[in-house]
Amino acid sequence: PGGSFDVSGLTLPNVERIEIVRGPASALHGSDAVAGVIHVITSMGRGPMRGTVSTRLGSFGRRDWSAEAAAGTGRAAYSFSLLRSQTDGILEFNNRHANTVVSGRASFLPDDRTRADLSFRVGDREFHYPTDGSGNVVDRNAFTYGDETLLAASVKRELSPRVDIGVHVGVVDTDGGSDDAPDSAADSLGFYGFTSLDHIRRATVDVRANLRLQTVVFTGGWEFEEERQRSFTESLSQYGTSSGRSEHARANRAYYLHATGEQGGLAFNLGGRLEDNERFGTFGTLQAGASWLASQRAGTRFRVAAGTALKEPTFFENFATGFARGNENLKPERSRSWELGIDQSLFGGDGRVRVTWFDQSFQDLIQYTFATPTPTDPNFFNVAAASSAGLEAEVEGGSGILRGSASWTWLDTEVTDAGFDEGPGAGFVAGEPLLRRPEHSWSAQLTVDAGSRTEIFADLTVVGSRADRDFTQFPAVPVELPRYSDLALGASIEVAVAEAGRPGFVVELRAENVLDQDFEQVFGFLSPGRALYVKGTLTFGGERR
């Protein structure tokens, strides 16, 4: 609740593709789609059964293996994967990470007008962390854990060539927490032990209909979402044992209407959504965009988009008790964004240049204050505001054995309302940039077809200097994280081609942080040094070449 997501649990086996929708998207996707939507699409089997088994070994005790299988016909299809991933981490002790994920998807067409889909993902992971909040390696037995179950089912029915209706049901259940027992019998001073457990459920029902009128498609729907969280904490200290329990829930109903269309060289989308939340009331969001193909021959396209979005408060910000007091009257954080862009084809369509100017503003940002006006007042308020604007330029293309792309972003962020923050070490300082946002960043990728079924690649990322805070001191001290470069090199070699009665075999080699640079994305937390990995993949079945 509130939009957090642990990316470390996301794995790539059984993922067909990842789509990224940039800009505010709350009009169609609801709360938390403030700056974009990342859509991870599970693979769907096609044709005869195809399977793969792979393993990856390398630096920092990396030990991975996975197995996948998929098949499909015109009426039914399935995919299934199992993955186990382990690493010893980059620190000297107690830094192990283990992740096990089972995922699958099935689709069935009982007739020519009906389709049913079912997908699931079950994960279990554990992460041992030796660091305190300042990044110092101090603890030999602290760890976090989490079990996640995701189930989704949908049925779509075509009522006529112009109208179809669908129902989607989804449930995400997460059980996790942290455990930091006393290091030894002598560990009995100060706060020497802590444990927590959280159960979170997010359930959604979405009913929508599509109406096609010539070149325009109208989508209208109703969505109901319920979020629940049950938490338990226990702290051990020389002053005695303290514990806390909480259980909270909130429901949200939403109504939305969206239209997409294309006429000649003009394509557009327009939509709106009304959120009716039992905790923070009713809010509306809008979204609009258009692109115009100015010249088919020259390959020139102009783009424009604008929208608003919201992010609901977290349960902790609403309902916290103990050392911090939540505020049940918080409003959602809101954003407004617009952008202009141009796309230009190059070399007869073999290349492309893309330039985008964007401008965003954020209002009602939720901020924590230690010094409340009175002892009974909450610690969270909607007070801060910020802006973000910049220019993105991308180029990609290829010829012969070479294929490459490059991008550059210039970013200008500014705190426009610092809220409760005071002093140079505050998290929000009026007139200063937002933390950890570089003014300049670059990336480049190059792929070379070296022949003999061998492909070589290089990825380079350069991140400019950015402001951060040293929170090991109170009040925090401003610091500047220096610019860093991250270079990866690798190759993929198809040792054997899959043929009838014989599996295929592919070897992949990858070196990360080749320059072995020391850098921090967050002050106090060092990123991994140079790493080498080798992966072997055995493929069998499927279409034969």
Side-chain angles (χ1 to χ4, degrees), residues 24-110:
S26 285
L28 188 61
H29 295 277
S31 175
D32 308 332
V34 172
V37 172
I38 301 175
H39 190 191
V40 182
I41 300 169
T42 306
S43 297
M44 177 53 66
R46 296 175 180 87
M49 198 279 285
R50 175 183 175 89
T52 63
V53 177
S54 67
T55 184
R56 179 172 63 158
L57 304 172
S59 302
F60 310 119
R62 168 68 68 181
R63 303 174 300 280
D64 301 346
W65 66 266
S66 65
E68 301 178 64
T73 65
R75 288 294 184 186
Y78 72 89
S79 67
F80 176 83
S81 77
L82 172 63
L83 173 138
R84 173 68 175 179
S85 176
Q86 283 185 246
T87 175
D88 294 334
I90 66 173
L91 303 178
E92 55 185 312
F93 59 81
N94 194 33
N95 198 205
R96 185 174 69 89
H97 180 261
N99 190 21
T100 304
V101 177
V102 181
S103 68
R105 177 180 172 184
S107 179
F108 176 57
L109 282 69

Side-chain angles (χ1 to χ4, degrees), residues 216-229:
V216 181
V217 178
F218 293 93
T219 300
W222 169 84
E223 184 181 70
F224 175 79
E225 181 180 69
E226 184 185 58
E227 299 171 313
R228 291 187 172 273
Q229 181 168 342

Side-chain angles (χ1 to χ4, degrees), residues 27 44 68 78 106 123 245 247 300 338 354 360 376 405 415 418 482 488:
M44 177 53 66
E68 301 178 64
Y78 72 89
R245 297 177 183 270
E247 185 170 359
T300 304
W338 63 267
R354 182 183 179 99
Q360 298 173 296
T376 58
S405 63
V415 176

